[in-house]
Amino acid sequence: MYVCLCVGVTDRDIESAVSDGARSWRAVREATGCAGQCGKCACTGKQVMREAISREFEMSPDLAYAV
């Protein structure tokens, strides 16, 4: 799905940025260019980013927690 029509950023582009290590909206914007022009896509882009980050942590069973 297209999130940012101005630049042509899709939800998969945002998910890819998160997979590559982006953990903040600023990092996602720098990696994809999303919300760099009109900004109307920012809310949707942030939601896609949050969901992608949640999935990243769910799929990482090797994370260690301090006891």
Side-chain angles (χ1 to χ4, degrees), residues 1 13 35-36 57:
M1 150 181 88
D13 295 330
F57 286 115

Side-chain angles (χ1 to χ4, degrees), residues 38-50:
C38 76
K40 290 182 181 181
C41 60
C43 290
T44 303
K46 288 177 186 179
Q47 184 61 36
V48 171
M49 177 197 69
R50 286 184 201 111

Side-chain angles (χ1 to χ4, degrees):
M1 150 181 88
Y2 277 94
V3 175
C4 179
L5 295 176
C6 295
V7 185
V9 177
T10 65
D11 57 342
R12 291 183 185 216
D13 295 330
I14 294 172
E15 291 166 357
S16 178
V18 169
S19 292
D20 292 342
R23 292 295 183 265
S24 68
W25 179 238
R26 179 179 291 200
V28 169
R29 284 185 60 200
E30 289 173 358
T32 64
C34 188
Q37 291 189 12
C38 76
K40 290 182 181 181
C41 60
C43 290
T44 303
K46 288 177 186 179
Q47 184 61 36
V48 171
M49 177 197 69
R50 286 184 201 111
E51 291 170 3
I53 290 172
S54 293
R55 281 193 301 274
E56 284 284 317
F57 286 115
E58 285 176 6
M59 296 182 348
S60 297
D62 59 335
L63 292 176
Y65 295 96
V67 181

